[in-house]
Amino acid sequence: MEDHELAPKEVIGACDIANINLQRALAYIDSDQNGLAKVLQEPKRVISVTFPIEMDDGSVDVFHGYRVVHSRTLGPGKGGIRFHPAVDLDEVSALASLMTWKCALIGLPFGGAKGGVICNPKVLSQGELRRITRRFISELGDNIGPYIDIPSPDLYTDEQTMSWVYDTYDVMHHGNNNRAVVTGKPVLLGGSEGRREATARGCRDVTEHFISKGLVPDLSEIKGARVAIQGFGNVGAVAAKLFCESGATIIALSDSQGGIVNEEGIDLAAASDYKNIHGTLVGLPETLSVTNDALLELDCEILIPAALSKQICAHNAENIKARLIVEAANGPITPAADRILAERNIWVLPDILANAGGVTVSYYEWLQNLDNNQWELDDINARLHKLMRKSTDAVVDRWQSLQRLTEERDTELGDDGADNASPYPADLRTAALTIGVERLAQVTAQRGIWP
Ligand code: GLU
C-alpha cells in the first residue's frame, strides 16, 4: 500500500476550504472591515518554478516547485517547504493562508507562506534530494531571505533539507550572517534546541490546557486518556512520546502503509525500532493491523490526525468516536465534517492553534540567529508552554463570546432562525480564525493601503 491509503474522500479544493473557513470568521467580524475579504482570499505572491535535475542513473528529470506568500502584513513570509507527490499550487496557496492565520493568532511578527516541490522523497536518493533542494532554492533567488520569506520543514523535509537550504542561500549571499534565512536547522548550524519536538510539544500543551477547562465531558486530563494518532512522522511520533509521558495510553499509530492497534497501549520504543528496521509500523508484534481510515474511527478519547489534509470528511465524520480531535496536521478536517462533528458535540482543537508550536519555536530560532545566540532548552520550552496556554485561553474566550453572539442572533431571528442559521458552527476553528483575521484587519487599517 502506498500513500493513496490516506487519500481524501471528499472532493473539495484546498483553497475552497480555506475560503469557506475565512468566510466563517468574517461573518463575525465588523462589517466595515469586510472589504478585506477580497484581499485575504488571494495570495500576495505566487512563484512557480520548473527545473531539471540529473538523476543518479544519469537521466534528467524535470521538477515543479512553488513558493506562495499569502500575506506580509504582519512581517516577512514564514512557512514550511514540503516534498510530496500530491503538492499542487492550490494546496500550497491554502497552506500559506493557514500560516497567515496561525502567526496572527499566536502573535508572531510574520506573514504566511508555504512552498513545495512535486516529488516522491521515498524513491529519491540523498544526492537527488540535495540537488532538488539546492536547485529549488536557487530558483527562488532573492524571494527568500531573513526579512523577506523564511522557509522551514514540513511534510517529508527535515533538518538535513534545511541545512541544504541554508547552505545554498549562504553560498549565494556570502559575507552576511544568513542563519535566519531558514528555521528547523540542525542545532550545530544555528537551529534551536527544542525545534524538532516543538510542534508536538505545543500540541500537548494546548490539549492539556484545553481539557483542564472541563468543557469536554469526562475528560479533564491527559492522564488515563486513550489516544489514537494518525501519522508517525516528526509530529506524530513525538506526540505519541509526549502524550505517553503525560500518562495517556497510545492505542493506535499509523504511517502511510497502514495502522497498528493495541488497546492496552503500544510500546513506543518497540514501534520506533520496528519502523527503523522494516520501514513501516505495520506488523509490529502484539498489535493488530488497521487501515488509516479505520484508525480514525477507533473508540478513544483523543484522536490526533498528524498526517495529511482532508482525512475527516463528510463520509466518515459520523463514525468518529473520539471526544476531542487535535489537529496536529494542517487541514485534516473539511468544513462539512466540522459541522457534523459540532452537531455530535465532538470538540476540535484547530490546526492554527494545535500545531502552532512549530512555527513558534521557529520564531525563537530566527531571534537567536539574528542575535547570534543560543537559548537553553528549558527556557524555550517554558516560553512555548506559556504562549500556547495564553493562545488557548484567547481562543476559548473568543468561542464563548461567539456562542453568546449566535444565541442573540437566533433570538432576534425568532422562528426564522433555523432557516437563516449559518451552515457552519461557531466552533473553536471559527473562534481562532476570528482572532487572526481581526488582528490582520487592524494592522491593515493602521498601515493603510499603498499608495
Ligand atoms: N510547517 C510548519 C507549519 O505548518 C512549521 C512552519 C515554520 O516553522 O515556519 O506550521
Side-chain angles (χ1 to χ4, degrees):
M1 265 180 285
E2 258 309 317
D3 257 3
H4 60 240
E5 206 212 337
L6 287 165
K9 304 287 184 310
E10 198 179 313
V11 184
I12 179 168
C15 279
D16 290 340
I17 293 179
N19 280 327
I20 290 174
N21 290 340
L22 175 63
Q23 297 307 329
R24 288 164 65 178
L26 287 168
Y28 289 94
I29 291 175
D30 222 358
S31 58
D32 62 355
Q33 291 174 342
N34 275 5
L36 205 69
K38 282 198 271 232
V39 182
L40 297 179
Q41 260 172 31
E42 298 197 49
K44 176 176 173 53
R45 192 186 69 189
V46 174
I47 301 174
S48 163
V49 295
T50 304
F51 52 87
I53 292 292
E54 233 174 72
M55 308 305 283
D56 288 351
D57 65 4
S59 65
V60 172
D61 251 357
V62 171
F63 289 85
H64 302 276
Y66 307 101
R67 184 74 186 172
V68 174
V69 177
H70 172 258
S71 164
R72 281 182 48 87
T73 302
L74 299 179
K78 185 86 196 80
I81 292 177
R82 53 175 58 187
F83 285 176
H84 195 270
V87 163
D88 63 32
L89 187 53
D90 184 68
E91 184 193 52
V92 174
S93 304
L95 291 166
S97 70
L98 264 191
M99 288 307 300
T100 301
W101 317 132
K102 200 182 292 186
C103 293
L105 168 66
I106 307 300
L108 307 178
F110 294 129
K114 201 74 162 202
V117 176
I118 308 172
C119 64
N120 184 357
K122 291 186 183 164
V123 300
L124 294 166
S125 69
Q126 283 295 97
E128 289 165 338
L129 285 169
R130 176 170 42 80
R131 293 195 287 282
I132 291 171
T133 308
R134 285 195 187 286
R135 184 66 192 254
F136 177 54
I137 294 304
S138 69
E139 296 284 342
L140 295 181
D142 284 340
N143 290 300
I144 62 166
Y147 298 102
I148 296 170
D149 179 9
I150 305 132
S152 53
D154 201 84
L155 266 189
Y156 293 107
T157 55
D158 55 17
E159 290 178 3
Q160 178 58 76
T161 327
M162 298 308 116
S163 304
W164 294 325
V165 171
Y166 166 73
D167 190 65
T168 307
Y169 185 87
D170 191 57
V171 167
M172 292 164 65
H173 300 82
H174 54 90
N176 299 330
N177 166 15
N178 289 317
R179 290 186 160 190
V181 67
V182 58
T183 58
K185 303 179 291 296
V187 173
L188 276 177
L189 200 63
S192 179
E193 295 284 356
R195 173 63 185 84
R196 199 183 305 159
E197 298 80 27
T199 309
R201 187 170 285 280
C203 223
R204 184 184 60 174
D205 288 345
V206 167
T207 307
E208 198 164 49
H209 193 49
F210 176 68
I211 59 183
S212 75
K213 292 176 185 288
L215 291 164
V216 191
D218 303 322
L219 186 66
S220 57
E221 55 179 4
I222 291 177
K223 192 163 170 233
R226 291 167 306 155
V227 177
I229 303 179
Q230 186 194 52
F232 200 65
N234 175 43
V235 183
V238 181
K241 179 175 148 270
L242 293 176
F243 275 76
C244 185
E245 270 172 28
S246 293
T249 305
I250 310 300
I251 63 156
L253 291 171
S254 73
D255 57 34
S256 61
Q257 304 196 36
I260 54 169
V261 183
N262 179 343
E263 292 291 340
E264 304 301 315
I266 295 171
D267 177 341
L268 297 180
S272 286
D273 290 347
Y274 191 87
K275 170 101 183 164
N276 285 339
I277 297 167
H278 301 276
T280 177
L281 294 165
V282 180
L284 176 72
E286 293 172 34
T287 63
L288 296 173
S289 300
V290 279
T291 62
N292 261 294
D293 275 348
L295 178 144
L296 297 171
E297 298 175 12
L298 288 173
D299 187 13
C300 60
E301 278 76 43
I302 303 176
L303 172 64
I304 308 183
L308 300 179
S309 61
K310 289 193 277 180
Q311 295 304 300
I312 303 175
C313 306
H315 77 282
N316 61 352
E318 283 296 351
N319 307 332
I320 303 295
K321 296 182 192 63
R323 266 172 275 159
L324 171 66
I325 305 176
V326 183
E327 291 187 321
N330 286 316
I333 302 180
T334 63
D338 266 345
R339 180 165 42 79
I340 298 169
L341 295 170
E343 278 163 11
R344 300 186 54 226
N345 296 320
I346 295 173
W347 287 92
V348 174
L349 282 168
D351 43 14
I352 60 170
L353 173 67
N355 71 32
V359 70
T360 300
V361 177
S362 274
Y363 166 56
Y364 300 156
E365 181 172 333
W366 183 75
L367 287 176
Q368 292 169 73
N369 291 160
L370 292 177
D371 198 25
N372 270 317
N373 204 343
Q374 194 94 52
W375 302 352
E376 302 276 331
L377 179 62
D378 285 352
D379 291 346
I380 291 165
N381 286 342
R383 278 186 190 231
L384 175 68
H385 186 68
K386 199 167 154 199
L387 194 50
M388 291 298 106
R389 287 169 69 95
K390 188 175 144 204
S391 306
T392 308
D393 284 339
V395 171
V396 173
D397 287 353
R398 178 60 64 97
W399 173 77
Q400 274 157 347
S401 44
L402 294 191
Q403 290 302 305
R404 281 193 295 275
L405 260 178
T406 315
E407 277 164 28
E408 279 164 28
R409 276 185 195 175
D410 287 353
T411 320
E412 272 169 30
L413 288 170
D415 290 343
D416 297 337
D419 294 339
N420 293 322
S422 161
Y424 298 105
D427 52 11
L428 294 173
R429 185 185 319 284
T430 315
L433 281 166
T434 59
I435 299 176
V437 174
E438 210 166 73
R439 282 192 184 150
L440 218 71
Q442 282 162 356
V443 175
T444 305
Q446 284 162 353
R447 289 180 64 157
I449 301 217
W450 178 267

